[in-house]
Amino acid sequence: MAPKNKAGSKDSRSSNKKGASSNTSKDPKPSKADGGGKLKAANSINVRHILCEKHSKKEEALSKLREGAKFDDVAREFSEDKARQGGSLGWKIRGALDQAFEKVAYELEPSTTGNPKYGEVKTGFGYHIIMVEGRK
């Protein structure tokens, strides 16, 4: 470790390369824990969800998603809440959602309804499948 700290030009270039590649491979794990890395800390998210009262119905919806169905189409078919516009809840700020729901939602990377990256959580409302379309 001493050579990295002592040398300014030669070792700093190689340590930057090594640091960048090792950080890239490690980024996904720390980004979830501390909001750094790939996912920047966000104060609000544009979120969609599918809410099911029964676990079996949630599993059916998940199987449709795994088969390649669009998230908003699956939400229209399976979601049991008032968010009938493809499961869209719109932009939500921190603290506006159920705590368990929010924890999962803020850890998700933004994605599209055609190729969603989703998470699952159980709350007092039921079983949720969550995807995030945007962060700011």
Side-chain angles (χ1 to χ4, degrees), residues 107-134:
E107 290 178 353
L108 289 170
E109 289 182 46
S111 60
T112 62
T113 57
N115 189 17
K117 295 179 183 174
Y118 49 85
E120 303 172 49
V121 68
K122 184 179 189 300
T123 69
F125 299 100
Y127 297 91
H128 302 265
I129 303 168
I130 307 166
M131 71 159 285
V132 172
E133 290 186 290

Side-chain angles (χ1 to χ4, degrees), residues 43-83:
N43 291 320
S44 63
I45 53 173
N46 188 4
V47 64
R48 289 182 183 265
H49 79 141
I50 300 167
L51 173 64
C52 302
E53 285 184 25
K54 296 189 177 184
H55 185 267
S56 59
K57 191 165 183 180
K58 178 204 69 146
E59 290 299 318
E60 253 187 275
L62 280 172
S63 94
K64 290 268 190 185
L65 290 171
R66 289 183 190 117
E67 291 169 5
K70 290 179 69 177
F71 192 93
D72 52 343
D73 293 339
V74 176
R76 282 187 197 96
E77 183 179 346
F78 288 92
S79 194
E80 298 171 4
D81 71 341
K82 295 179 182 174

Side-chain angles (χ1 to χ4, degrees), residues 20-42 106-110 117 135:
S21 64
S22 66
N23 285 343
T24 304
S25 65
K26 294 179 183 178
D27 272 350
K29 290 178 187 172
S31 69
K32 290 183 180 178
D34 51 58
K38 281 187 175 180
L39 289 180
K40 295 180 182 175
Y106 275 90
E107 290 178 353
L108 289 170
E109 289 182 46
K117 295 179 183 174
R135 301 167 60 89

Side-chain angles (χ1 to χ4, degrees), residues 93-108:
I93 60 170
R94 278 193 192 271
L97 299 165
D98 179 90
Q99 193 174 15
F101 183 103
E102 193 170 277
K103 183 180 186 300
V104 172
Y106 275 90
E107 290 178 353
L108 289 170

